[in-house]
């Protein structure tokens, strides 16, 4: 290998993703780690076997439930710090910030953790459709259900 070049790096979940502005071939990826999620928040999360927690996204002013995504600690840190919702894509195995390619951005208005620590509620101002199908919400298909009544 020539001096000043790096060997190809396989992206691993325990390694910070390569920063888009980082193009110095001499500096290893491990030298550029993002700040960690606040430990007082991280300690409250109950993650699944893949280190993820469900994030329910809700329109802040109407209460409409828009979608459900998945976050690891870094996705939550980015969401809290940047004011835009970032998810971990289970299919692509990478972070994605909602709206960067579609223009259908989610601007954070608030984030709450549930009592068990295994789910997040992300209140947003949604621009355009939340669903990849083009629908405003991912919950547009009603299932047949017997309606219950209070005694």
């Amino acid at each position: 290998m020539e001096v000043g070049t790096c060997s190809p790096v396989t992206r691993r979940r325990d390694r910070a993703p390569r920063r888009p502005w980082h193009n110095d071939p001499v500096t290893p990826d491990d030298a550029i780690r993002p700040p960690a999620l606040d430990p007082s928040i991280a300690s409250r999360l109950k993650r699944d076997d893949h280190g993820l927690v469900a994030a329910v996204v809700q329109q802040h002013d109407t209460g409409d439930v828009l979608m459900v995504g998945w976050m690891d600690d870094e996705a939550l840190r980015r969401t809290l710090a940047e004011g835009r919702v970032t998810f971990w894509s289970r299919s692509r195995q990478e972070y994605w910030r909602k709206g960067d390619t579609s223009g259908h951005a989610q601007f954070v208005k608030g984030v709450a953790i549930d009592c068990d620590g295994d789910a997040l509620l992300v209140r947003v101002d949604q621009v355009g459709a939340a669903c990849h199908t083009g629908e405003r919400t991912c919950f547009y298909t009603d299932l047949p259900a017997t309606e219950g009544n209070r005694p």
Side-chain angles (χ1 to χ4, degrees):
M1 183 181 334
E2 294 179 24
V3 175
T5 62
C6 291
S7 61
V9 176
T10 302
R11 184 178 282 180
R12 298 184 328 232
R13 294 268 336 269
D14 62 340
R15 172 172 274 160
R18 194 169 178 88
R19 299 286 189 177
W21 60 84
H22 174 70
N23 58 15
D24 179 358
V26 179
T27 305
D29 284 348
D30 288 334
I32 301 179
R33 289 204 180 268
L37 180 64
D38 181 322
S40 68
I41 297 170
S43 67
R44 296 187 60 197
L45 295 175
K46 290 184 184 168
R47 301 158 193 84
D48 69 8
D49 293 341
H50 304 287
L52 303 173
V53 62
V56 178
V57 181
Q58 178 185 46
Q59 177 64 32
H60 76 101
D61 53 355
T62 66
D64 292 343
V65 176
L66 301 174
M67 62 176 288
V68 174
W70 295 92
M71 292 184 179
D72 65 3
D73 286 15
E74 174 61 11
L76 179 55
R77 185 201 67 77
R78 292 181 190 190
T79 297
L80 294 171
E82 298 172 2
R84 293 272 308 275
V85 180
T86 297
F87 297 104
W88 174 256
S89 171
R90 296 177 298 168
S91 60
R92 294 188 309 265
Q93 293 291 294
E94 65 184 14
Y95 296 107
W96 61 281
R97 191 167 72 166
K98 183 71 173 165
D100 278 356
T101 56
S102 67
H104 299 163
Q106 294 175 337
F107 295 95
V108 176
K109 296 297 180 182
V111 179
I113 187 170
D114 81 336
C115 59
D116 296 323
D118 60 2
L120 301 166
L121 177 63
V122 184
R123 293 176 304 279
V124 302
D125 184 10
Q126 174 72 47
V127 175
C131 188
H132 72 280
T133 64
E135 296 287 335
R136 173 81 176 150
T137 173
C138 293
F139 297 97
Y140 56 87
T141 304
D142 288 330
L143 300 177
T146 301
E147 188 173 321
N149 296 306
R150 292 183 190 194

